[in-house]
Amino acid sequence: MRHACFRLLVLLPLCVLLVACGAEPPDPTVRITGSTMGTRYELKLVPAPGQTIPADFQQQAETLLARINRQMSTYDPDSELSRFNRSPSTEWVAVSPELYQVVAEGLRMSALTEGAFDITVGPLVNLWGFGPEPRQDRIPPEDEIRRARERVGFKRLHARAEPPALRKERADLYVDLSALAKGYGVDRLAELADGAGVGNYLVSIGGDLRAKGHNGQGQPWTAAIERPTPGQRAVERLIR
């Protein structure tokens, strides 16, 4: 019995040592979150050993996102895009290079998809209650749908690079960048991380993601694709 007790006392510190050696190192990930564009944004930054994230990084991120919102939001009546949508002019209207860039990309995709994707679909988006106006719990009448569809057509919107400007062929054309602005914001946040020398990050705004490098455990970033099942949240697939 005495020998058994001695062996137990010797083995216990050894087990503790092995468990301590096998423990995972602390996660170095720096998480920054906030609100933007009617949803949440999140940055997961993994600095290199000895590297620190700038103390004002979140302030830089929120300043950048606020500027994008002031340029491209349809929910802000004073945004650059809202003012363009309200303008009765069918002449060239000077815009910021950023707004031109996103509209031009939207027009390119609209042309590639032959209008299946159309950044002038705003009148229909608003009519069905998915825009900035209060949502009505009803199916729009056919005549209202027809009138809204008459205002839709990307070929009646034009973008000019130098100097940056947009032009409508119909004064009541309405541009909606909701399918592009969050992705543009993600790209700009990624540029901000690159500029700070961060080589590993995951950036998201709502469901728009951009990843680079690896996570805090040195593994590929993993994104979950949600299963579209009504009334519940479930994962359909994990993408590394």
Side-chain angles (χ1 to χ4, degrees):
M1 177 67 71
R2 189 175 299 169
H3 293 302
C5 291
F6 175 76
R7 286 196 299 271
L8 180 61
L9 291 172
V10 170
L11 288 172
L12 277 175
L14 180 60
C15 291
V16 172
L17 179 62
L18 289 172
V19 170
C21 291
E24 292 186 0
D27 187 348
T29 305
V30 176
R31 291 173 172 83
I32 297 174
T33 64
S35 300
T36 188
M37 303 183 194
T39 185
R40 302 285 297 174
Y41 78 87
E42 181 177 25
L43 296 105
K44 295 181 179 180
L45 311 172
V46 183
Q51 182 185 27
T52 58
I53 304 300
D56 65 341
F57 192 93
Q58 182 163 12
Q59 181 180 347
Q60 293 182 52
E62 296 199 345
T63 298
L64 185 154
L65 292 171
R67 183 168 66 248
I68 294 172
N69 217 47
R70 288 195 301 271
Q71 292 168 331
M72 305 177 194
S73 174
T74 56
Y75 287 78
D76 180 356
D78 295 321
S79 74
E80 187 177 7
L81 181 62
S82 292
R83 295 196 304 271
F84 174 75
N85 283 336
R86 284 197 307 271
S87 172
S89 175
T90 56
E91 302 297 322
W92 287 105
V93 176
V95 297
S96 64
E98 294 85 356
L99 181 58
Y100 159 78
Q101 179 185 356
V102 177
V103 169
E105 180 65 10
L107 288 175
R108 187 181 74 86
M109 288 191 285
S110 296
L112 283 173
T113 60
E114 298 180 349
F117 178 91
D118 192 330
I119 59 173
T120 67
V121 77
L124 286 167
V125 172
N126 297 339
L127 179 63
W128 282 89
F130 294 100
E133 299 298 325
R135 182 169 183 173
Q136 300 182 32
D137 189 15
R138 69 182 180 95
I139 296 177
E142 285 297 324
D143 62 324
E144 292 185 21
I145 296 174
R146 177 183 51 79
R147 287 198 297 271
R149 291 186 67 176
E150 289 174 355
R151 298 172 55 196
V152 175
F154 72 93
K155 293 182 180 179
R156 292 179 286 192
L157 175 66
H158 305 277
R160 184 183 67 194
E162 294 296 338
L166 305 178
R167 183 173 69 84
K168 301 181 283 188
E169 290 184 9
R170 273 185 69 131
D172 59 355
L173 208 65
Y174 185 102
V175 180
D176 190 329
L177 299 176
S178 299
L180 293 171
K182 290 193 294 294
Y184 176 76
V186 164
D187 286 343
R188 296 299 308 277
L189 288 176
E191 290 175 3
L192 194 65
D194 286 330
V198 181
N200 304 285
Y201 54 75
L202 178 67
V203 182
S204 67
I205 300 179
D208 293 63
L209 304 172
R210 181 164 173 170
K212 181 178 180 180
H214 53 72
N215 64 21
Q217 285 74 46
Q219 301 297 317
W221 294 103
T222 302
I225 307 301
E226 188 171 1
R227 181 176 300 154
T229 304
Q232 69 179 45
R233 304 292 301 272
V235 175
E236 173 67 25
R237 185 180 303 175
L238 296 176
I239 304 295
R240 293 167 69 83

